[in-house]
Amino acid sequence: MTTTATAADPPPDAVHDGRSRRIPFLVMIGAQLTHEADGVAVVQLELRPDLLNNHGGGHGGVVMSLLDSAMANAALSKIDYSREVVTIDMHIAFMKPATGRLTATGRAVGGGRKVCFCEAEIVNEAGEVTAKSMGTFRYRTPGPSQAGE
């Protein structure tokens, strides 16, 4: 019997490379991974009117997603994207309203085989810190994407 692999069912001998994974929400908001290596990742985003809160700053959910993505990619880059991660804990401090072009830098700062501890911060175009975060990420065996890739 011959089977044909689909995007949701990769061949068993395929090498996992998490760099090819896309998260539709991050695509929708325009987040771009601009650097990932050796436990450091940078994700950038240009805030648009539909991403702002009613006070004119970046919506907290967008800011949190940017921090989460930077930390997750930092954790993944630490292991050369050979596995996947899921966020199991995240703490955020909103320092000032986020405006304009945002740059989130995530760093893997500790952990072991099963978890990775990360930190991230977002700066605006003027270099001012707008938010900081700490997170814990669990490494897991890669599985098929549920994101419609």
Side-chain angles (χ1 to χ4, degrees), residues 84-138:
E84 294 179 348
V85 294
V86 291
T87 309
I88 57 175
D89 183 54
M90 189 170 165
H91 300 268
I92 295 96
F94 297 100
M95 316 293 277
K96 66 184 310 176
T99 57
R101 184 162 185 77
L102 305 177
T103 300
T105 302
R107 291 179 180 77
V109 295
R113 284 186 347 96
K114 295 185 179 185
V115 297
C116 185
F117 303 110
C118 296
E119 298 175 345
E121 71 175 21
I122 293 178
V123 297
N124 61 21
E125 292 169 293
E128 301 167 316
V129 176
T130 63
K132 289 187 172 203
S133 182
M134 295 185 309
T136 306
F137 296 79
R138 182 178 311 280

Side-chain angles (χ1 to χ4, degrees), residues 3 11 24 32-33 36 38 43-44 49 59 62 85 89 92 106 110 112 135 144:
T3 59
Q32 296 181 331
L33 179 64
E36 43 78 21
D38 303 318
V43 181
Q44 295 184 312
H59 188 280
V62 172
V85 294
D89 183 54
I92 295 96

Side-chain angles (χ1 to χ4, degrees), residues 4 25 29 39 46 65 86 107:
T4 304
F25 177 73
I29 66 172
E46 183 73 39
S65 294
V86 291
R107 291 179 180 77

Side-chain angles (χ1 to χ4, degrees), residues 18 22 26 66 93 114-115:
R22 297 292 173 252
L26 294 175
L66 199 58
K114 295 185 179 185
V115 297

Side-chain angles (χ1 to χ4, degrees), residues 32-53:
Q32 296 181 331
L33 179 64
T34 59
H35 172 80
E36 43 78 21
D38 303 318
V40 177
V42 177
V43 181
Q44 295 184 312
L45 171 73
E46 183 73 39
L47 284 173
R48 310 181 308 249
D50 59 324
L51 301 178
L52 304 179
N53 61 28

